[in-house]
Amino acid sequence: MIVLRQPRRETGPQPIPELLHRALFKGVSLLPPGGQAVVLRRYFDWWHRSPDPWRLQTDAYEQRKYATTLQVLPDRPYRRILDVGCAEGAFTHLIAAEYPEAQVTGVDISERALNRARARPGPPLLSFTRADLIAYGQPGEFDLVVCAETLYYLGRDDRLRLASARLVELVRPGGLLLLVHPWPEADRLYTYLGDPMTRVLHHVDEDAHRPFSVTVFQSQPGPDAAAQP
Ligand SMILES: C[S@@+](CC[C@H](N)C(=O)[O-])C[C@H]1O[C@@H](n2cnc3c(N)ncnc32)[C@H](O)[C@@H]1O
């Protein structure tokens, strides 16, 4: 496994707004999965009432995260790429431009976010679909599944476990799961990825005002592994 680190900086406990944020979404996850999805959809449609609420397309920190992610991602001939929790597609458009031969799908729970993602010109194989990540897709459908800045919305551990199982299931044998989240919280968020996946790359950027990690897991290669890229 490759472990890369930026120069060390002191990392303290999570700031109060992030702690309140996590508590809010833990509360929402007390609902059954269908009810949670309805609340999340309404919440994120409201959050996207004006364009790019997190300034994902312009903020220097976000651009740094995207550049780092593309830099450390193993370069493979990906045919099918999924970006879960893609918001308005800032990173989805970047990865689609990087791999124009790949069929790239962005998925988000907010239709409003996706309408903005679709409105931007992109390569012909790029598309966007509204879904709850816990319920999306077919097993083994993707060579690469990306999930960034989204898992902390799942709330309690049982939902995180469900979401983790879903993400793992979507990756084809030998394929990759690429995760980007605040660090060190990321280590907790990836607790349930478990046995079927091997961590093959872990890059921590501690030098940002909000440290983050880029982690790549690989699923077990299938019996016909030699035939796959
Ligand atoms: C902070 S944005 C992350 C955007 C993007 N991944 C990035 O890093 O640039 C989180 C997105 O996750 C979406 N989201 C939250 N819960 C979701 C769920 N259960 N299923 C699908 N999308 C979800 C929200 O609608 C929001 O657009």
Side-chain angles (χ1 to χ4, degrees), residues 147-228:
C147 183
E149 300 285 352
T150 297
L151 288 179
Y152 41 71
Y153 295 118
L154 271 301
R156 290 178 307 133
D157 277 14
D158 68 318
R159 293 302 146 76
L160 193 55
R161 195 181 275 121
L162 271 181
S164 302
R166 195 67 196 167
L167 292 176
V168 167
E169 202 177 38
L170 291 173
V171 181
R172 73 150 170 82
L176 301 180
L177 174 61
L178 168 70
L179 301 166
V180 185
H181 287 91
W183 186 86
E185 184 187 18
D187 292 345
R188 179 188 69 79
L189 294 172
Y190 308 157
T191 307
Y192 300 109
L193 291 169
D195 280 348
M197 304 299 266
T198 307
R199 198 171 81 162
V200 291
L201 187 144
H202 185 54
H203 173 96
V204 178
D205 187 337
E206 290 178 64
D207 206 24
H209 69 274
R210 179 174 173 263
F212 64 90
S213 63
V214 181
T215 308
V216 179
F217 292 86
Q218 177 162 351
S219 78
Q220 305 284 346
D224 55 347
Q228 292 171 349

Side-chain angles (χ1 to χ4, degrees), residues 77-83 92 95-96 99-106 123-127 136 141-144:
Y78 301 110
R79 284 168 298 182
R80 288 176 165 215
I81 299 174
L82 174 68
D83 184 13
T92 331
I95 200 165
Y99 295 96
E101 310 286 298
Q103 194 176 313
V104 179
T105 308
L125 293 177
L126 172 62
S127 64
Y136 177 77
E141 210 181 328
F142 297 97
D143 304 305
L144 172 65

Side-chain angles (χ1 to χ4, degrees), residues 44-45 47-48 50-57 62 66 82-93 105-120 126-131 133 146-150 152-153:
F44 285 107
D45 272 344
W47 189 254
H48 284 277
S50 50
D52 201 7
W54 293 283
R55 298 193 297 126
L56 299 176
Q57 292 180 51
E62 303 299 338
Y66 296 154
L82 174 68
D83 184 13
V84 186
C86 67
E88 296 177 19
F91 183 73
T92 331
H93 276 271
T105 308
V107 164
D108 200 278
I109 205 155
S110 163
E111 189 68 36
R112 222 178 235 176
L114 294 174
N115 283 337
R116 295 213 186 90
R118 292 183 190 113
R120 291 178 55 195
L126 172 62
S127 64
F128 292 92
T129 302
R130 202 200 70 76
L133 82 85
V146 180
C147 183
E149 300 285 352
T150 297
Y152 41 71
Y153 295 118

